[in-house]
């Protein structure tokens, strides 16, 4: 009798432990999309997947990518796909010989063959907090579904503060959506700066097991043409569209020597935009952790860098040179007007409505 009662108690303990991890799994019969909900303390995750492959077997669902990336991936040699002399009107190489990617400088078909053979998976993180969720997320995801890494496995990691307001998006093949819920900060500046900490945490817990390359982007942008594999590399930085022709003395770096983001007037390579950055998960992790440590240092000394996380990102890239730089064609602002340099816009800024979306 006592032996049987002990078995019953153990069974109940096992069931309760299992229930504390798995909340609900169900299949939406309307579109064949599996919705996976997981609750671990304050972190809530929804994963949506719409692919042609059969993937409902649970061990495969939890299984990390095979052969991930304990070392940096081996890329194809630069001369096979990149021609810096094809655009004599712009700078196509950095002083440390990293390519600056402009339309006309790359042979995408060569890279497509290489990365399809490698069966790469590319991640993309985006934050949609407060009114940014309602105003921008659907447009961003709909355009990314079409133009971001077409023909390759993509996982979108979407960080929101309200899962009930997430828009319905019909995904194409090889596309996966994962939603993460976080607490909203009281100030938009803190949302911007805490993004670095959150991305680092997600890389540790999920992303590093699932993708070969990772991009982090702002949600108030829209894809306009193919944002392809020519952008992939170990460490990828984006030229800020308004400063790509400016001299470094005019860059809006943080100039306070007491800030961790401080850059003297005599130093600097480019002014990089925090709306787009990427690389391998390890390299992006290094960037986000160092930026977060700089932000924390400043807060402890009652400081705040002039452009928040972007100031710390520029300091990081000054000390840790990116292996690839993207031209403003990969993040353009139409308010600049027409430019001879811009041949094919891949990603553009949406009209900024700061008074509307930052008044949360």
């Amino acid at each position: 009798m006592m032996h049987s009662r002990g078995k019953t108690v153990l069974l109940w303990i096992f069931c309760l432990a299992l229930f504390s991890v798995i909340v609900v799994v169900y299949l939406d019969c309307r579109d064949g999309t599996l919705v996976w909900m997981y609750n671990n303390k304050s972190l809530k995750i929804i994963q949506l997947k719409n692919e042609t492959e059969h993937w409902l077997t649970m061990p495969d669902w939890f299984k990390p990518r095979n052969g991930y990336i304990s070392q940096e991936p081996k890329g194809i040699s630069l001369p096979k796909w990149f021609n810096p002399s094809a655009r004599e009107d712009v700078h196509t190489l950095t002083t440390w010989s990293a390519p600056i990617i402009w339309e006309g400088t790359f042979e995408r078909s060569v890279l497509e063959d290489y990365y399809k053979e490698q069966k790469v998976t590319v991640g993309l993180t985006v934050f949609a907090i407060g009114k940014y969720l309602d105003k921008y997320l659907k447009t961003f995801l709909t355009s990314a579904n079409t133009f971001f890494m077409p023909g390759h496995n993509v996982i979108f990691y979407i960080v929101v503060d309200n899962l009930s307001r997430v828009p319905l998006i019909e995904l194409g093949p090889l596309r996966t959506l994962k939603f993460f819920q976080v607490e909203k900060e009281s100030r938009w500046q803190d949302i911007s700066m805490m993004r670095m900490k959150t991305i680092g945490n997600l890389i540790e817990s999920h992303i590093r097991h699932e993708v070969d390359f990772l991009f982090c982007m702002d949600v108030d942008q829209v894809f306009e043409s193919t944002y392809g594999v020519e952008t992939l590399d170990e460490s990828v930085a984006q030229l800020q569209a308004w400063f790509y022709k400016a001299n470094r003395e005019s860059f809006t770096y943080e100039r306070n020597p007491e800030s961790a983001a401080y850059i003297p007037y005599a130093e600097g390579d480019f002014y990089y935009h925090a709306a787009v950055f990427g690389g391998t998960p390890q390299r992006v992790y290094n960037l986000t952790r160092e930026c977060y440590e700089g932000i924390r240092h400043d807060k402890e000394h009652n400081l705040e860098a002039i452009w928040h996380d972007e100031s710390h990102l520029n300091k990081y890239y000054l000390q840790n040179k990116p292996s690839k730089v993207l031209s403003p064609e990969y993040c353009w602002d139409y308010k600049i007007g027409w430019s001879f340099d811009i041949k094919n816009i891949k990603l553009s800024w949406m009209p900024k409505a700061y008074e509307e979306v930052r008044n949360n």
Side-chain angles (χ1 to χ4, degrees):
M1 179 70 176
M2 291 296 293
H3 182 68
S4 176
R5 183 175 298 174
K7 284 186 175 180
T8 302
V9 171
L10 288 174
L11 181 61
W12 272 107
I13 291 173
F14 174 79
C15 291
L16 287 171
L18 185 61
F19 182 75
S20 68
V21 174
I22 300 173
V23 177
V24 60
V25 180
Y26 68 91
L27 182 66
D28 187 334
C29 298
R30 292 172 297 176
D31 62 4
T33 298
L34 184 79
V35 178
W36 174 257
M37 298 183 67
Y38 170 86
N39 193 335
N40 180 10
K41 296 183 179 179
S42 62
L43 179 64
K44 296 180 180 178
I45 304 165
I46 293 181
Q47 301 181 141
L48 307 177
K49 193 165 183 178
N50 180 15
E51 297 186 7
T52 55
E53 63 187 278
H54 179 74
W55 55 277
L56 293 178
T57 307
M58 294 309 294
D60 291 335
W61 177 250
F62 289 109
K63 186 178 180 181
R65 276 175 50 77
N66 290 329
Y68 168 83
I69 295 186
S70 55
Q71 69 270 352
E72 299 287 5
K74 294 180 180 179
I76 188 170
S77 63
L78 204 62
K80 291 183 178 179
W81 65 271
F82 183 70
N83 181 9
S85 62
R87 289 287 301 270
E88 296 182 352
D89 54 326
V90 292
H91 293 295
T92 56
L93 286 171
T94 68
T95 56
W96 59 95
S97 299
I100 305 174
I101 308 301
W102 292 87
E103 184 69 21
T105 61
F106 58 88
E107 190 66 45
R108 185 179 283 149
S109 61
V110 174
L111 295 168
E112 285 286 353
D113 292 341
Y114 173 78
Y115 284 114
K116 283 184 178 178
E117 184 178 345
Q118 299 295 314
K119 295 185 170 72
V120 297
T121 297
V122 183
L124 173 56
T125 71
V126 66
F127 284 61
I129 306 296
K131 295 177 183 178
Y132 280 83
L133 194 163
D134 301 315
K135 188 170 183 65
Y136 296 116
L137 182 58
K138 187 169 186 178
T139 299
F140 179 89
L141 284 177
T142 301
S143 63
N145 183 51
T146 301
F147 293 118
F148 184 74
M149 304 294 163
H152 298 274
N153 291 301
V154 172
I155 302 177
F156 299 111
Y157 300 96
I158 315 301
V159 181
V160 300
D161 62 324
N162 190 336
L163 290 170
S164 67
R165 304 208 323 267
V166 168
L168 293 176
I169 303 291
E170 184 176 351
L171 294 173
L174 307 177
R175 314 262 130 173
T176 302
L177 271 176
K178 299 187 179 184
F179 286 93
F180 297 77
Q181 182 167 295
V182 296
E183 296 294 328
K184 186 173 73 173
E185 302 290 334
S186 58
R187 300 166 62 243
W188 69 263
Q189 295 94 332
D190 291 324
I191 293 172
S192 176
M193 291 187 291
M194 291 304 290
R195 175 177 68 145
M196 292 297 184
K197 179 182 180 182
T198 303
I199 292 172
N201 290 342
L202 290 179
I203 291 172
E204 278 193 300
S205 62
H206 291 78
I207 294 172
R208 67 189 179 93
H209 301 293
E210 299 175 336
V211 306
D212 301 284
F213 297 95
L214 176 67
F215 278 93
C216 307
M217 297 187 182
D218 284 355
V219 71
D220 52 349
Q221 305 180 103
V222 59
F223 290 88
E224 297 192 15
S225 63
T226 299
Y227 195 106
V229 291
E230 72 277 3
T231 63
L232 300 178
D233 215 293
E234 293 178 6
S235 176
V236 182
Q238 171 68 57
L239 293 182
Q240 216 275 3
W242 286 85
F243 288 102
Y244 79 98
K245 288 184 175 181
N247 57 59
R248 65 186 178 191
E249 288 77 18
S250 63
F251 293 163
T252 53
Y253 292 150
E254 174 55 50
R255 302 302 189 181
N256 183 350
E258 296 182 7
S259 170
Y262 169 64
I263 298 176
Y265 281 96
E267 297 183 25
D269 304 309
F270 303 99
Y271 190 86
Y272 300 110
H273 201 173
V276 176
F277 58 93
T280 60
Q282 183 62 55
R283 295 296 185 93
V284 177
Y285 177 83
N286 294 345
L287 182 154
T288 58
R289 276 299 183 236
E290 193 156 326
C291 287
Y292 173 66
E293 289 302 320
I295 291 166
R296 191 173 69 169
H297 167 276
D298 281 8
K299 280 187 172 293
E300 290 174 353
H301 293 81
N302 295 316
L303 299 171
E304 191 169 290
I306 181 172
W307 290 114
H308 319 297
D309 58 333
E310 185 169 89
S311 298
H312 293 275
L313 176 138
N314 273 275
K315 179 63 174 288
Y316 177 85
Y317 279 134
L318 177 62
Q319 298 177 330
N320 304 270
K321 308 296 188 190
S323 57
K324 182 173 287 183
V325 176
L326 303 181
S327 76
E329 295 173 321
Y330 289 87
C331 191
W332 183 248
D333 186 359
Y334 282 104
K335 286 186 177 181
I336 297 173
W338 185 72
S339 172
F340 284 104
D341 300 335
I342 307 303
K343 308 297 185 184
N344 185 309
I345 295 172
K346 282 75 171 171
L347 180 72
S348 66
W349 303 16
M350 294 283 284
K352 305 302 180 184
Y354 292 141
E355 290 186 5
E356 176 186 347
V357 296
R358 288 179 174 177
N359 183 21
N360 292 323

